[in-house]
Amino acid sequence: MLSRSRKFGRYPEARWANCAFGTIQASIALLVLLSLVQPSRAFAANPDLETVLTGSRQRIEKLDYRLTGRLTRVEGNGKRTSHKFVAKAHWFPDGLRLLCEISGPGSEKTSLLLHMSVSGHVTIEAVLPGEKAASLLPFERWNDPLVGTDFSYEDMVESQFFWKHQELLAPEKYGARDCFVLKSISGSQGRTYYDSVTSWIDRGILYPVHVVKTLRGTGQQKEFIYYGLRQVGGVWSATQVEAKLQGKPGSSILVIEWGSGKANLGRKDFAISPSHAQGEKVK
């Protein structure tokens, strides 16, 4: 190092080059620091990315609905198994709460309360068939089939739009619709079974029409297709969502038969317990 210093003393142009290189390194470090501290500035460089993320997040942050429908598993041979599906959701200052109850062909019943924070962190409480009280669903079960369908417990909320790593791919058509293509990456620390989620989002209404989720480790993909998009009271929604797991015959379909997009729900509406469910039926 000493010999190099003497050489730079003899050659001013070398000393200048070394100084310039150090300045470049410092500038790069500063840019990396700014991108970590103020990620919104990265979105500002890509207005389409900011449009997609802002629109998708605001759509979820305005949720206030009740709905009823059917959750059906269609086997490869055409055999169908249907469950009654009842759900309600509302965005509170601390995030989204979604309460759903799924009743099977017999007397079995599954109740779920999902909470997604403003940063996309998800927790799931459940009362599963045979249980008498709600408990936290272990993360190891989040990817289990929900009542035997291709939907998992985790699939009940769209947490991918709140992940930190977002990338806008080249625009594409999906059917007749012009779409933004958004790739959401969970990162190694993300509490999810998915490595990434790619969403085809209609440019005009900023609502997803096609979603592909890639599972961690295996790379297996799960496809979601949204049918019957409609706007009621200024709120866009789908009347059917179909889920298909790569390499598995058949698919599962969630059909919405009735819904209200302005349910005026409060925290008292999101208590999960068998007694609460029975109380709502009596009403």
Side-chain angles (χ1 to χ4, degrees):
M1 290 299 293
L2 287 173
S3 64
R4 288 185 180 181
S5 297
R6 284 195 294 270
K7 287 181 181 180
F8 289 153
R10 293 171 57 193
Y11 301 103
E13 66 276 9
R15 183 170 64 251
W16 177 88
N18 186 57
C19 180
F21 180 70
T23 303
I24 292 171
Q25 284 185 313
S27 299
I28 292 174
L30 180 60
L31 285 173
V32 171
L33 180 62
L34 285 173
S35 67
L36 291 173
V37 175
Q38 296 178 314
S40 61
R41 290 192 177 182
F43 296 152
N46 189 337
D48 284 344
L49 176 58
E50 187 173 12
T51 295
V52 173
L53 282 178
T54 300
S56 298
R57 291 170 179 174
Q58 286 182 348
R59 172 176 60 83
I60 295 169
E61 290 167 357
K62 293 177 181 177
L63 290 179
D64 178 36
Y65 69 74
R66 293 179 185 268
L67 62 82
T68 60
R70 289 175 289 109
L71 182 57
T72 303
R73 167 65 188 163
V74 183
E75 305 293 343
N77 60 8
K79 180 184 176 182
R80 291 173 173 258
T81 304
S82 292
H83 297 75
K84 182 180 178 181
F85 185 86
V86 180
K88 51 188 173 182
H90 184 89
W91 183 274
F92 294 96
D94 64 345
L96 179 70
R97 277 174 168 76
L98 168 66
L99 180 63
C100 60
E101 183 179 289
I102 306 165
S103 306
S107 58
E108 68 273 15
K109 184 185 302 178
T110 298
S111 297
L112 302 174
L113 176 60
L114 297 95
H115 176 242
M116 181 179 72
S117 72
V118 293
S119 63
H121 179 78
V122 176
T123 58
I124 305 175
E125 292 181 67
V127 181
L128 302 178
E131 296 181 353
K132 296 183 179 180
S135 61
L136 279 175
L137 188 72
F139 176 69
E140 292 72 22
R141 298 202 58 186
W142 283 20
N143 195 45
D144 288 358
L146 182 60
V147 296
T149 69
D150 298 288
F151 293 91
S152 69
Y153 293 93
E154 184 180 352
D155 291 332
M156 292 294 101
V157 292
E158 300 174 288
S159 61
Q160 71 270 16
F161 294 119
F162 295 84
W163 295 348
K164 291 182 179 179
H165 306 287
Q166 307 284 347
E167 178 184 354
L168 197 63
L169 306 181
E172 292 183 5
K173 271 189 172 291
Y174 185 77
R177 295 180 179 272
D178 293 317
C179 296
F180 291 113
V181 183
L182 178 70
K183 185 174 183 179
S184 308
I185 303 170
S186 61
S188 59
Q189 302 302 316
R191 189 173 169 82
T192 173
Y193 270 86
Y194 296 112
D195 180 63
S196 66
V197 178
T198 304
S199 308
W200 282 255
I201 300 172
D202 185 285
R203 296 177 67 98
I205 62 176
L206 295 179
Y207 195 91
V209 295
H210 182 220
V211 172
V212 175
K213 299 184 177 182
T214 303
L215 286 161
R216 282 180 173 170
T218 64
Q220 187 180 28
Q221 292 186 328
K222 188 188 292 189
E223 180 183 24
F224 298 81
I225 305 172
Y226 296 75
Y227 300 100
L229 301 188
R230 62 181 180 180
Q231 187 180 34
V232 179
V235 179
W236 282 95
S237 62
T239 55
Q240 294 187 36
V241 183
E242 182 178 16
K244 298 180 181 180
L245 190 61
Q246 183 182 48
K248 182 180 179 181
S251 65
S252 300
I253 303 173
L254 174 60
V255 178
I256 308 304
E257 298 174 325
W258 175 89
S260 171
K262 295 182 179 180
N264 297 316
L265 299 170
R267 290 187 182 274
K268 61 182 175 57
D269 295 300
F270 292 89
I272 176 173
S273 68
S275 60
H276 177 267
Q278 291 172 4
E280 284 201 332
K281 279 194 169 185
V282 171
K283 292 177 185 178

